[in-house]
């Protein structure tokens, strides 16, 4: 019975170490996805500290590669020191992921205020004839999120670009994909996206942060299981004679 329990714990531990390698790749992917997506929306969100959870989760992903290696070696060689190190590192990473979750919720709550503060300024700097980075960002967001203006397409009437062009038209990025002959004219509002961009940008950024939060929570649960199995192996190694026989290849008389 003791041998069976030990062998099961070791098998699960080895399997979890393999999962850690896969988890490392997934976490790095999630962190990179957050960076790339925020790059598309960075003009609408000025708080660079929001990227801290992404930075931390990439660092955790890189560390999981090392953890998986240490865990596999320690389990196969049945090293007391290696398993103890494995548990300590897992505990530190677990605490880090808890911090990521907390930061994720904090910054997720700040998204709406940050976007509301910066989006007005971005739209005021739009220059459709010689697009700068902010202008390209606006056109990109309006096409990708199928929106127009801050709250709706009428917001464009208050921009310097609209007043300077004097053609009663909004940018072509406001045109619906189904409107083939759309030229942005306010005389044909049915050709334009009706929804404003602010709410959709907030929703998109909050979804991105939730990806980070759920990834951290999922792998924190896996790490708890890993720590539990490692502790079981450590405890039985020190007090279960059946484990010593398992190591040495001995048999009962």
């Amino acid at each position: 019975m003791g041998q069976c329990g030990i062998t099961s714990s070791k098998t699960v531990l080895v399997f979890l170490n393999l999962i850690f390698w896969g988890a490392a790749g997934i976490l790095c992917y999630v962190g990179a996805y957050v960076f790339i997506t925020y790059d598309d929306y960075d003009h609408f969100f000025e708080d660079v500290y929001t990227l801290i959870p992404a930075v931390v989760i990439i660092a955790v992903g890189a560390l999981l590669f090392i953890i998986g290696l240490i865990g596999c070696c320690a389990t196969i060689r049945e090293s007391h020191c290696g398993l103890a190190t494995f548990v300590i590192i897992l505990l530190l990473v677990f605490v880090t992921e808890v911090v990521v979750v907390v930061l994720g919720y904090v910054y997720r709550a700040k998204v709406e205020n940050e976007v509301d503060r910066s989006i007005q300024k971005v739209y005021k700097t739009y220059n459709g004839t010689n697009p700068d980075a902010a202008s390209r960002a606006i056109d990109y967001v309006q096409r990708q999120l199928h929106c127009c203006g801050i709250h709706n397409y009428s917001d464009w009437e208050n921009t310097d670009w609209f007043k300077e062009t004097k053609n009663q038209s909004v940018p072509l990025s406001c045109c619906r994909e189904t409107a083939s002959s759309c030229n942005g004219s306010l005389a044909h509002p049915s050709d334009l996206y009706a929804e404003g961009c602010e709410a959709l940008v907030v929703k998109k950024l909050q979804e991105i942060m939730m990806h980070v939060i759920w990834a951290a929570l999922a792998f924190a649960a896996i790490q708890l299981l890993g720590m539990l199995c490692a502790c079981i192996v450590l405890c039985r190694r020190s007090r279960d004679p059946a484990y010593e026989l398992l190591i040495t290849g001995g048999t009962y008389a």
Side-chain angles (χ1 to χ4, degrees):
M1 188 71 177
Q3 289 181 352
C4 181
I6 295 165
T7 304
S8 298
S9 297
K10 288 176 64 181
T11 302
V12 172
L13 193 53
V14 171
F15 179 69
L16 284 172
N17 286 320
L18 297 178
I19 291 179
F20 288 152
W21 281 329
I26 295 173
L27 287 175
C28 289
Y29 170 79
V30 171
Y33 169 74
V34 172
F35 269 112
I36 292 170
T37 308
Y38 264 103
D39 187 54
D40 296 328
Y41 297 90
D42 62 351
H43 287 86
F44 302 93
F45 197 86
E46 297 177 347
D47 190 352
V48 295
Y49 295 105
T50 304
L51 292 176
I52 288 178
V55 174
V56 175
I57 208 167
I58 288 177
V60 168
L63 188 57
L64 279 179
F65 279 112
I66 302 173
I67 291 174
L69 181 61
I70 293 174
C72 276
C73 292
T75 304
I76 292 171
R77 299 182 63 181
E78 292 140 353
S79 167
H80 186 279
C81 181
L83 284 172
T85 303
F86 176 68
V87 171
I88 291 171
I89 295 176
L90 273 185
L91 181 60
L92 292 175
V93 173
F94 176 77
V95 172
T96 302
E97 287 183 335
V98 171
V99 172
V100 169
V101 171
V102 173
L103 287 175
Y105 272 109
V106 169
Y107 290 126
R108 185 175 181 272
K110 292 177 61 178
V111 165
E112 188 169 357
N113 290 335
E114 285 290 330
V115 172
D116 184 60
R117 188 177 65 184
S118 60
I119 197 168
Q120 302 269 358
K121 182 168 49 176
V122 177
Y123 268 83
K124 284 181 187 268
T125 61
Y126 185 85
N127 183 345
T129 57
N130 183 23
D132 56 14
S135 299
R136 288 195 299 272
I138 290 173
D139 285 330
Y140 173 82
V141 166
Q142 291 190 153
R143 288 193 181 97
Q144 289 294 114
L145 300 184
H146 297 170
C147 58
C148 184
I150 299 173
H151 303 104
N152 55 58
Y153 57 80
S154 65
D155 291 325
W156 278 104
E157 297 180 69
N158 299 319
T159 64
D160 294 336
W161 172 82
F162 183 90
K163 295 171 183 176
E164 289 171 4
T165 55
K166 299 179 181 178
N167 60 6
Q168 298 298 303
S169 297
V170 297
L172 295 180
S173 56
C174 283
C175 292
R176 294 179 183 271
E177 292 179 345
T178 54
S180 56
S181 59
C182 175
N183 60 3
S185 174
L186 290 178
H188 302 92
S190 59
D191 291 343
L192 309 175
Y193 293 122
E195 193 168 358
C197 293
E198 181 177 1
L200 294 178
V201 169
V202 169
K203 181 181 177 182
K204 182 69 174 179
L205 294 175
Q206 288 179 336
E207 285 176 355
I208 295 168
M209 196 56 63
M210 282 307 299
H211 290 160
V212 174
I213 292 171
W214 283 115
L217 285 174
F219 294 117
I222 294 173
Q223 285 165 221
L224 276 177
L225 182 57
M227 285 188 285
L228 177 62
C229 290
C231 287
I232 290 173
V233 173
L234 276 172
C235 290
R236 288 183 175 175
R237 183 184 188 279
S238 60
R239 62 190 174 128
D240 194 338
Y243 187 77
E244 296 300 328
L245 288 171
L246 187 68
I247 295 175
T248 60
T251 57
Y252 287 106

